């Protein structure tokens, strides 16, 4: 496996420099360390509008899987906090080098926790021993490092999976599964909570809401594990169905159980913190058209029938803020082509307000004939441009992006991610955008080191967008969204891409937690030294 640092080398010095634009001034914190620009302060340009929405706005993310040490922490990092943390930072640096703007991190992989939970034991994937305290706040560390790089942190939970092995006695004594074996079902090679048990749904809800209330996460994320994928034989929930079925068919009852969890969590998350989003990344096929006229022209497993996950309903009801179907097929796969499914999902989100992002199979590059060409994923993103409903992409997974098999990640960056991007404004965001920043200045660092751009942070802001235009431009002018060079938390950046002798005008806007953007402040012009 290629080291996560290798892709940084491959994307080149300019890319690395752009990815590591450093904050010059600390961001405003809860301790009020820095005075913010109040409304009506000098520096505003009243007649200039905010950039607004455009195709340049995209969510760009990667999954960081923790179960089994898939991405992090690797087995060799479990004995050392320092080594473990350094490995995580390298993954985040890979994300920044790729000009991504979010990470989706698995923090509850197996009814366990990457944080001090009152409900479940510490995860075995941190130290190698389930229930062992790693000696630091793992989630707090990950969250702080992501936000330091202005990467959104989507906390990824698995609601029902307990263990990939089937011996209940191998779990920690304080595991809810050990304390309540009546909630547990053996299926396939592992252990699962029964979604039909009301206390199971309550446990999953409590685990999620504990994190929502305690941590400054940006989103709650579920993947495709609801009722388990079929592994032969019937899922053993006959007794639960008899107790709670209430005359419904088995399939209808099972879907109702999953719906109940999704609906309840959506309500509770938004009541607790309206800016925290709720997103789900389901299996890519809802139903085949042969089963339902509303389905896609595909011949694949169906989440509706095989996992009892009515993913289309969740979109239509608005229970999710974003949906990220895992479209892990090539452009021309005869069973379920990527193009067919992008069209189908684009139709489903139309007029719902739910944002569509696509789960991309970075792990498949180079695995077989259909994925031998490293340009396959680049073609996916080119095709997405035909459908404005598609608002970004999420890659499975971090290790695959870092490995850069056959140069596919380099090609993605060269073809589509040369500049950073701001995520779309979150579904349901209301209210006013932040106050514009004040006192924008630009100073040549000398010696070809770039330009230092600084500003005074504004009230209600979480991050800032920096735009660079060649030449001397008016101080008050609208900005082109395609001129974005950085998004940061703090009061300044150093732009290493500025060339000696070239004159530039810099504009800065303020962004809040939901990515609403202020108008640009008065710009600053400088000649690179």
């Amino acid at each position: 496996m290629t080291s996560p640092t290798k892709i940084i080398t491959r994307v080149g010095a300019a890319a690395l420099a752009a990815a590591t634009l450093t904050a010059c001034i600390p961001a405003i914190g809860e301790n009020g360390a820095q005075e913010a620009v109040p409304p009506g302060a000098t520096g505003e340009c009243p007649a200039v509008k905010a950039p607004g929405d455009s195709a340049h706005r995209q969510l760009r993310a990667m999954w960081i899987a923790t179960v089994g040490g898939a991405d992090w922490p690797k087995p060799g990092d479990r004995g050392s906090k320092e080594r473990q943390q350094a490995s995580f930072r390298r993954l985040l640096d890979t994300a920044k080098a790729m000009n991504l703007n979010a990470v989706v991190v698995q923090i509850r992989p197996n009814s366990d926790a990457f944080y001090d939970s009152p409900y479940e034991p510490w995860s075995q994937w941190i130290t190698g021993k389930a229930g062992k305290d790693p000696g630091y706040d793992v989630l707090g560390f990950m969250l702080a490092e992501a936000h330091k790089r202005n990467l959104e942190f989507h906390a990824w939970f698995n609601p029902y999976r307990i263990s990939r092995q089937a011996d209940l006695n191998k779990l920690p004594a304080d595991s809810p599964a050990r304390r309540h074996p009546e909630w547990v079902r053996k299926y396939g090679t592992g252990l699962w909570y029964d979604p039909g048990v009301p206390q199971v749904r309550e446990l999953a809800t409590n685990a999620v809401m504990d994190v929502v209330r305690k941590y400054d996460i940006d989103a709650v994320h579920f993947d495709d594990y609801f009722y388990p994928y079929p592994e032969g034989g019937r899922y053993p929930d006959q007794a639960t169905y008899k107790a709670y079925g209430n005359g419904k068919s088995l399939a209808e009852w099972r879907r109702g159980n999953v719906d109940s969890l999704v609906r309840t969590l959506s309500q509770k998350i938004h009541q607790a913190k309206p800016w925290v989003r709720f997103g789900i990344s389901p299996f890519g096929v809802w139903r085949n058209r042969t089963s339902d006229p509303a389905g896609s022209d595909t011949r694949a497993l169906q989440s509706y029938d095989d996992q009892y996950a009515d993913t289309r309903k969740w979109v239509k009801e608005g229970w999710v803020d974003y949906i990220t179907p895992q479209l892990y097929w090539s452009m021309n796969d005869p069973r379920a082509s990527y193009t067919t499914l992008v069209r189908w999902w684009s139709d489903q989100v139309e007029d719902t307000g739910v944002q569509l992002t696509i789960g991309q199979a970075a792990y498949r590059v180079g695995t077989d004939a259909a994925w031998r060409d490293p340009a396959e994923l680049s073609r996916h993103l080119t095709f997405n441009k035909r459908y404005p409903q598609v608002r970004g992409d999420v890659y499975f997974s971090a290790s695959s992006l870092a490995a850069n098999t056959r140069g596919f990640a380099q090609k993605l960056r060269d073809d589509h991610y040369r500049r950073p991007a701001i995520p779309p404004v979150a579904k349901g965001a209301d209210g006013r955008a932040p106050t514009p920043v004040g006192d924008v200045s630009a100073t040549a660092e000398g010696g070809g080191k770039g330009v230092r751009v600084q500003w005074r942070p504004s009230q209600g802001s979480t991050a800032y967008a920096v735009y660079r235009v060649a030449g001397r431009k008016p101080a008050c002018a609208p900005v082109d969204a395609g001129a974005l060079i950085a998004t940061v938390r703090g009061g300044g950046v150093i732009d290493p891409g500025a060339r000696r002798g070239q004159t530039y005008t810099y504009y800065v806007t303020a962004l809040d937690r939901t990515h609403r953007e202020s108008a640009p402040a008065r710009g600053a012009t400088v000649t690179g030294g």
Side-chain angles (χ1 to χ4, degrees):
M1 180 67 69
T2 304
S3 164
T5 59
K6 291 294 181 63
I7 190 172
I8 297 177
T9 303
R10 289 181 180 129
V11 297
L16 176 57
T20 54
L21 288 160
T22 50
C24 304
I25 301 174
I28 300 173
E30 292 181 355
N31 60 2
Q34 201 173 353
E35 182 183 0
V37 176
T42 59
E44 293 187 25
C45 296
V48 179
K49 293 183 179 180
D53 196 15
S54 73
H56 294 284
R57 285 230 178 189
Q58 299 176 320
L59 181 77
R60 301 173 181 172
M62 65 184 188
W63 279 287
I64 298 179
T66 59
V67 66
D71 291 317
W72 182 85
K74 294 294 186 183
D77 294 334
R78 290 178 189 152
S80 166
K81 168 186 168 182
E82 290 72 23
R83 206 161 52 236
Q84 197 170 94
Q85 292 185 344
S87 294
F88 190 77
R89 291 188 185 101
R90 284 196 296 272
L91 288 178
L92 297 187
D93 289 342
T94 294
K96 288 301 289 183
M98 282 290 296
N99 274 331
L100 306 187
N101 52 32
V103 289
V104 185
V105 186
Q106 193 174 33
I107 65 166
R108 187 197 188 234
N110 291 114
S111 188
D112 54 6
F114 272 64
Y115 51 94
D116 188 10
S117 169
Y119 303 106
E120 295 169 311
W122 283 99
S123 176
Q124 67 175 307
W125 308 119
I126 306 172
T127 63
K129 181 177 175 61
K132 182 178 179 181
D133 188 334
Y136 74 104
D137 183 354
V138 182
L139 176 53
F141 158 76
M142 294 189 294
L143 187 56
E145 290 293 328
H147 283 171
K148 186 186 298 183
R149 294 160 175 80
N150 199 32
L151 293 165
E152 280 198 333
F153 191 98
H154 294 222
W156 170 12
F157 298 79
N158 292 91
Y160 301 124
R161 191 172 61 194
I162 300 171
S163 173
R164 300 196 300 176
Q165 57 84 34
D167 186 351
L168 195 62
N169 293 320
K170 290 183 178 180
L171 302 179
D174 61 344
S175 167
R178 282 284 296 275
R179 289 186 280 112
H180 297 282
E182 70 276 12
W183 300 353
V184 180
R185 305 290 174 257
K186 293 182 179 181
Y187 184 71
T189 58
L191 299 173
W192 300 81
Y193 286 125
D194 187 340
V197 176
Q199 294 89 339
V200 163
R201 300 194 296 273
E202 183 180 8
L203 172 65
T205 300
N206 287 340
V208 170
M209 293 310 300
D210 181 49
V211 170
V212 170
R213 294 188 181 101
K214 290 179 180 176
Y215 290 91
D216 191 27
I217 63 172
D218 299 289
V220 169
H221 183 93
F222 282 0
D223 61 7
D224 53 329
Y225 283 98
F226 296 99
Y227 278 86
Y229 282 95
E231 293 191 48
R234 176 177 171 174
Y235 185 76
D237 60 352
Q238 294 89 335
T240 318
Y241 175 51
K242 184 177 181 180
Y244 298 106
N246 293 324
K248 297 179 180 178
S249 71
L250 177 64
E252 181 185 13
W253 171 74
R254 285 177 173 173
R255 278 189 288 273
N257 295 331
V258 179
D259 283 351
S260 176
L261 178 65
V262 172
R263 181 177 59 249
T264 299
L265 269 175
S266 179
Q267 293 168 350
K268 286 183 176 291
I269 291 166
H270 295 115
Q271 286 169 359
K273 290 183 178 178
W275 60 90
V276 174
R277 278 145 287 150
F278 181 34
I280 295 179
S281 177
F283 182 76
V285 174
W286 171 68
R287 299 193 89 187
N288 298 315
R289 189 175 295 171
T290 51
S291 300
D292 190 317
S296 52
D297 185 15
T298 50
R299 290 161 293 284
L301 180 141
Q302 306 169 106
S303 65
Y304 181 93
D305 301 274
D306 296 303
Q307 295 177 289
Y308 307 96
D310 193 351
T311 55
R312 182 174 180 263
K313 179 179 181 179
W314 306 340
V315 170
K316 300 300 183 183
E317 295 290 340
W319 294 344
V320 292
D321 297 301
Y322 67 81
I323 193 85
T324 308
Q326 297 175 19
L327 304 192
Y328 293 169
W329 294 274
S330 65
M331 298 280 281
N332 301 309
D333 193 304
R335 301 159 300 172
S337 78
Y338 180 83
T339 55
T340 295
L341 286 165
V342 167
R343 293 188 193 101
W344 188 87
W345 280 104
S346 294
D347 287 343
Q348 306 318 303
V349 302
E350 186 71 30
D351 298 324
T352 65
V354 175
Q355 291 179 359
L356 172 62
T357 51
I358 305 298
Q360 300 285 1
Y363 75 97
R364 295 201 66 185
V365 175
T367 57
D368 57 34
W371 289 88
R372 188 171 294 127
D373 186 350
E376 176 69 27
L377 287 182
S378 181
R379 285 195 291 270
H380 288 198
L381 270 61
T382 299
F383 181 80
N384 289 354
K385 292 177 182 178
R386 303 183 191 180
Y387 295 87
Q389 300 92 334
V390 178
R391 300 312 306 263
D393 300 271
V394 186
Y395 297 90
F396 191 84
S397 62
S399 293
S400 297
L401 276 182
N404 193 26
T405 304
R406 294 176 178 258
F408 86 92
Q410 173 72 61
K411 185 159 183 61
L412 279 173
R413 194 186 187 288
D414 289 348
D415 292 351
H416 303 282
Y417 293 164
R418 285 185 176 272
R419 288 183 179 266
I422 301 169
V425 174
K427 171 180 170 279
D430 53 16
R432 298 181 61 184
T435 304
V437 305
D439 303 330
V440 177
S441 65
T443 308
E445 287 288 273
K449 295 180 181 179
V451 169
R452 180 182 294 263
V453 185
Q454 294 180 277
W455 56 89
R456 195 149 52 97
S458 70
Q459 291 179 350
S461 299
T462 299
Y464 303 91
V466 182
Y467 300 85
R468 184 186 69 202
V469 182
R472 184 176 295 275
K473 304 297 180 183
C476 286
V479 298
D480 177 358
L484 182 71
I485 62 164
T487 63
V488 297
R489 301 191 179 204
V493 296
I494 295 174
D495 172 18
R499 296 180 180 177
R500 283 190 187 186
Q502 172 70 57
T503 299
Y504 300 98
T505 302
Y506 290 87
Y507 301 95
V508 180
T509 62
L511 298 158
D512 69 6
R513 289 299 298 266
T514 59
H515 311 302
R516 291 175 298 191
E517 188 173 15
S518 76
R522 296 179 65 86
T525 300
V526 67
T527 299

